[in-house]
């Protein structure tokens, strides 16, 4: 299979989907450019700040992208490239992009508040509390994991030190960009050109002057202090501009990848389809949980209804930022599928590791090696190839940091909403912005040190499970306002079955290991801990699904 055909086919499909299905949703749901968005009606200079569409697009895209669309397709490729491609296309168009767009839409119609508030409006307070607690716990896991990933990406080799230097330089650059755009009214075009030049300079300085010698624990401390500040700082001074400028790295990475694919014209070696069961893994639900961000990710709904909706300047921008960003991420997922497909004859990472003589292997390394190899095939020199590989790794690390500070801010929002008022209707101290941030960060820090890796295998299913109440919130709200919501029925049913099946299978596998008595102490503890966590998660999900179904298909009114 020609990689050129696959990438051009994907781009054509996604562009067509945006112009047809995306615009159909906007018309059907009643997107109204004349309505005042919460960014204007509730402007507070901290969280509610209207952003120019390109800036908010950069923030949203940087926050949802991360490493997810790269990791998922590469990890699931052993099933064959056809099922992966089909899920990315179908899932992205009819599941992921719909969720992202819908989450922003229902949030701006509820004063920019989170999905928990929407759920209370349509499904009741009990469901709101259950969802908010669950979402907050998922965000703690995200913060713990991404903080560890970022600290690792800063530690060790000179290449990692280059990532650290560049990432730190992005911060003052972003602050300067925000100051001149929002306080000095410098035209966006001029500021963007200067900002991109500054971005390139930061990358160059990072390569020339890597920060080495700081141990991982030192970086962890720095990262957690940073996210505390980032969580409470006004969005216009750091979050908006940093994510906007960082998005250019991702755009560059994707454009470079497409140019490399077209220029090198590699063929995909991985089989089209291997089987419904491969090495004990069944294609359902494994494929649909593994390829998360590249097709659908519940985490996106928290971003859309958490930070993006509070910065939306005009309702019409929700289509481009919500639906459009997800489709661009789907393109990145297809590029990742091509990357592993051109390097591996069996779709496995182990094959790539052995064939290329790599000591360490990760999806990011595979992606970087594949894209840089395209330029080597095109005749570029060793320096250009190495720089391409370094920038790709830097971009991935940068977006992990972007997702990290966004997740921290979302965790703060969730905690604040959970304790918004006390019994007397007065403000609760726990709803204070600074208190909520400190509690959220401390809990994530403890989880990080305690070993989040023991429960991280559950994240895929939990992340996808968040999409179910997100769909329910959108569907029940649409029913309440008398709009067509039938396009959400299949996503609700499919994602409910896929996520719950995954959790039940994991529970069964762990239980078998526990009862078998052949596990060592660490493995036994991990299995028991995971099963203890799975039980309340499944119960919570079932309650939300039942209550949401009553509103959608029963007698309970929205």
């Amino acid at each position: 299979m020609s990689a050129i055909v696959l990438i051009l086919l994907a781009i054509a499909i996604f562009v067509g989907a945006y112009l047809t299905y995306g615009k159909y949703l906007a018309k059907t749901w009643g997107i109204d450019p004349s309505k005042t968005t919460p960014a204007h009606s509730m402007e507070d200079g901290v969280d509610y700040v209207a952003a120019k569409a390109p800036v908010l697009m950069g923030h949203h895209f940087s926050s949802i992208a991360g490493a997810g669309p790269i990791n998922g397709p590469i990890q699931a490729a052993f099933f064959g490239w056809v099922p992966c491609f089909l899920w990315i296309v179908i899932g992205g168009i009819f599941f992921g992009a719909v969720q992202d767009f819908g989450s922003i839409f229902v949030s701006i119609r509820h004063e920019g508040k989170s999905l928990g508030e929407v759920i209370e409006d349509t499904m009741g307070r009990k469901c709101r509390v259950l969802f908010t607690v669950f979402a907050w716990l998922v965000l703690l896991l995200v913060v713990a994991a991404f903080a560890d990933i970022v600290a690792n990406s800063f530690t060790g080799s000179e290449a990692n030190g280059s990532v650290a230097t560049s990432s730190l330089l992005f911060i003052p650059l972003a602050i300067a960009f925000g100051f001149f755009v929002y306080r000095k009214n410098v035209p966006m075009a001029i500021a963007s050109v200067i900002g991109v030049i500054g971005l390139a300079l930061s990358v160059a300085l990072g390569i020339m002057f890597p920060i080495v010698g700081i141990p991982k624990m030192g970086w962890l401390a720095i990262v957690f202090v940073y996210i505390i500040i980032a969580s409470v700082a006004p969005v216009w001074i750091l979050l908006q501009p940093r994510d906007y400028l960082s998005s250019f790295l991702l755009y560059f990475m994707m454009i470079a990848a497409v140019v490399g694919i077209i220029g090198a014209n590699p063929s995909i070696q991985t089989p089209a389809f291997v089987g419904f069961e491969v090495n004990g893994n069944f294609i359902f639900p494994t494929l649909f949980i593994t390829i998360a961000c590249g097709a659908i990710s519940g985490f996106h709904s928290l971003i859309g209804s958490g930070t993006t909706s509070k910065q939306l300047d005009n309702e019409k921008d929700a289509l481009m930022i919500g639906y459009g960003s997800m489709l661009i991420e789907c393109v990145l997922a297809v590029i990742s599928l091509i990357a592993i497909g051109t390097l591996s004859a069996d779709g496995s990472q182990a094959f790539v590791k052995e064939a290329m003589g790599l000591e360490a292997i990760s999806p990011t390394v595979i992606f970087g090696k594949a894209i840089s190899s395209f330029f080597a095939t095109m005749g570029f020199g060793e320096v250009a190839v190495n720089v391409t590989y370094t920038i790709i790794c830097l971009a991935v690390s940068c977006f992990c940091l972007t997702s990290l500070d966004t997740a921290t801010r979302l965790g703060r929002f969730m905690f604040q909403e959970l304790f918004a008022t006390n019994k007397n209707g007065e403000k609760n101290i726990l709803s204070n912005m600074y208190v909520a941030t400190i509690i959220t960060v401390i809990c994530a820090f403890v989880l990080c040190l305690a070993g989040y890796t023991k429960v991280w295998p559950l994240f895929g299913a939990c992340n996808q499970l968040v999409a179910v109440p997100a769909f329910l919130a959108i569907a029940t709200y649409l029913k309440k306002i008398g709009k067509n919501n039938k396009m959400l029925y299949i996503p609700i049913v499919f994602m409910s079955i896929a996520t719950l099946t995954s959790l039940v299978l994991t529970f069964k596998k762990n239980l078998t290991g526990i009862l078998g008595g052949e596990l060592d102490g660490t493995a036994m503890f991990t299995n028991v801990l995971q099963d203890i966590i799975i039980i309340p998660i499944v119960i919570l999900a079932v309650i939300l699904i039942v209550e949401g179904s009553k509103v959608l298909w029963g007698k309970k009114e929205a």
Side-chain angles (χ1 to χ4, degrees):
M1 178 64 182
S2 169
I4 290 181
V5 172
L6 194 62
I7 189 62
L8 293 181
L9 177 63
I11 293 173
I13 291 173
F14 292 131
V15 170
Y18 179 85
L19 296 175
T20 56
Y21 194 58
K23 292 193 173 181
Y24 160 76
L25 293 176
K27 182 178 180 181
T28 302
W29 293 351
I31 290 294
D32 186 356
S34 67
K35 280 186 174 292
T36 302
T37 63
H40 294 285
S41 62
M42 302 184 67
E43 183 175 4
D44 61 5
V46 178
D47 298 319
Y48 290 84
V49 178
K52 295 177 174 61
V55 176
L56 187 55
M57 179 82 169
H59 156 69
H60 184 79
F61 187 35
S62 299
S63 298
I64 67 172
I70 293 175
N71 291 357
I74 289 175
Q75 291 171 338
F78 62 86
F79 284 114
W81 67 264
V82 168
C84 294
F85 180 76
L86 289 177
W87 173 233
I88 291 169
V89 171
I90 297 172
I93 293 172
F94 299 105
F95 288 65
V98 175
Q99 176 208 231
D100 293 15
F101 181 24
S103 298
I104 296 174
F105 172 65
V106 298
S107 179
I108 57 178
R109 293 295 178 89
H110 286 79
E111 300 181 331
K113 294 179 180 177
S114 74
L115 286 179
E117 297 288 337
V118 181
I119 287 173
E120 179 174 9
D121 180 43
T122 60
M123 294 164 56
R125 179 172 175 77
K126 177 180 70 175
C127 290
R128 170 220 170 183
V129 172
L130 292 175
F131 171 78
T132 304
V133 171
F134 173 60
W136 184 73
L137 293 175
V138 170
L139 287 169
L140 287 186
L141 188 55
V142 172
V143 173
F146 276 45
D148 188 74
I149 292 171
V150 170
N152 277 326
S153 71
F154 288 175
T155 309
S157 67
E158 285 197 7
N160 290 5
S162 296
V163 172
T165 301
S166 299
S167 297
L168 293 180
L169 289 174
F170 288 168
I171 297 174
L173 175 63
I175 293 174
F177 182 92
F179 174 77
F180 283 108
V181 169
Y182 289 101
R183 290 296 180 266
K184 296 300 181 181
N185 296 316
V186 173
M188 179 60 67
I190 295 175
S192 296
V193 171
I194 296 174
V196 171
I197 293 173
L199 188 68
L201 182 61
S202 297
V203 172
L205 290 173
I207 294 174
M208 289 188 292
F209 304 104
I211 298 175
V212 294
I214 298 179
K216 179 181 175 180
M217 281 303 300
W219 280 120
L220 271 177
I222 293 171
V223 167
F224 274 101
V225 170
Y226 164 75
I227 61 177
I228 289 175
I229 297 172
S231 175
V232 297
V235 290
W236 64 267
I237 201 170
L238 182 59
L239 194 70
Q240 281 182 5
R242 192 179 70 79
D243 292 356
Y244 171 65
L245 292 175
S246 296
S247 68
F248 283 99
L249 271 178
L250 185 51
Y251 299 144
F252 168 81
M253 181 176 74
M254 293 182 63
I255 292 171
V258 173
V259 170
I261 291 170
I262 294 175
N265 190 22
S267 60
I268 297 177
Q269 304 176 46
T270 302
F273 179 65
V274 178
F276 291 101
E277 181 185 359
V278 182
N279 299 325
N281 296 291
F282 292 92
I283 198 168
F284 183 88
T286 306
L287 176 71
F288 306 97
I289 300 300
T290 304
I291 300 181
C293 294
I296 177 175
S297 169
F299 179 56
H300 293 188
S301 69
L302 302 181
I303 294 171
S305 65
T307 58
T308 305
S309 62
K310 294 176 175 63
Q311 303 170 59
L312 197 71
D313 182 52
N314 191 296
E315 270 200 13
K316 65 180 175 61
D317 297 334
L319 174 62
M320 177 185 71
I321 293 168
Y323 200 87
S325 289
M326 182 61 210
L327 295 186
I328 296 175
E329 186 168 359
C330 291
V331 173
L332 178 57
V334 173
I335 293 172
S336 302
L337 184 62
I338 291 173
I340 183 68
T342 56
L343 294 178
S344 177
D346 63 359
S348 72
Q349 297 179 48
F351 179 91
V352 178
K353 180 178 180 180
E354 182 178 352
M356 300 192 69
L358 299 174
E359 294 181 6
I361 195 70
S362 71
T364 301
V365 170
I366 289 174
F367 186 86
K369 288 292 183 183
I371 303 306
S372 58
S373 71
F374 298 158
F375 287 91
T377 301
M378 292 165 63
F380 283 81
E382 183 178 352
V383 173
V385 172
N386 290 337
V387 168
T388 301
Y389 174 75
T390 300
I391 292 177
I392 287 172
C393 292
L394 171 63
V396 175
S397 174
C398 182
F399 291 113
C400 285
L401 185 59
T402 298
S403 298
L404 171 62
D405 57 23
T406 300
T408 307
R409 201 176 194 96
L410 292 173
R412 188 254 288 181
F413 289 155
M414 292 289 178
F415 198 87
Q416 284 184 278
E417 290 181 4
L418 195 61
F419 298 97
T421 57
N422 58 27
K423 293 181 180 180
N424 299 321
E426 300 172 349
K427 284 288 185 180
N428 191 315
I429 185 63
L430 294 176
S431 69
N432 178 271
M433 176 171 64
Y434 302 102
V435 174
T437 297
I438 295 296
I439 292 175
T440 298
V441 171
I442 288 177
C443 290
F445 183 68
V446 171
L447 180 59
C448 183
L449 296 183
Y452 72 91
T453 53
K454 293 181 177 62
V455 294
W456 183 251
L458 301 179
F459 175 73
C462 291
N463 173 48
Q464 300 299 71
L465 187 56
V466 173
V468 176
F471 281 130
L472 286 169
I474 300 165
T476 51
Y477 174 70
L478 290 173
K479 179 182 179 181
K480 183 175 182 177
I481 63 174
K483 299 292 184 179
N484 181 10
N485 64 2
K486 291 183 174 58
M487 72 289 292
L488 298 164
Y489 290 0
I490 292 178
I492 290 171
V493 174
F494 183 84
M495 294 310 300
S496 296
I497 296 173
T499 53
L500 292 178
T501 300
S502 177
L503 289 170
V504 169
L505 288 176
T506 301
F507 181 88
K508 180 182 177 181
K509 180 182 177 181
N510 288 346
L511 187 61
T512 301
I514 294 169
L515 298 178
E518 298 179 358
L519 301 177
D520 60 28
T522 301
M524 179 68 74
F525 174 76
T526 300
N527 283 17
V528 171
L529 179 62
Q530 288 184 10
D531 277 2
I532 290 174
I533 294 173
I534 287 173
I535 293 173
I537 287 176
V538 170
I539 293 174
L540 165 66
V542 170
I543 293 174
L544 288 171
I545 292 169
V546 169
E547 293 298 318
S549 299
K550 288 179 180 178
V551 174
L552 287 179
W553 299 296
K555 295 182 179 180
K556 185 176 180 180
E557 293 186 2

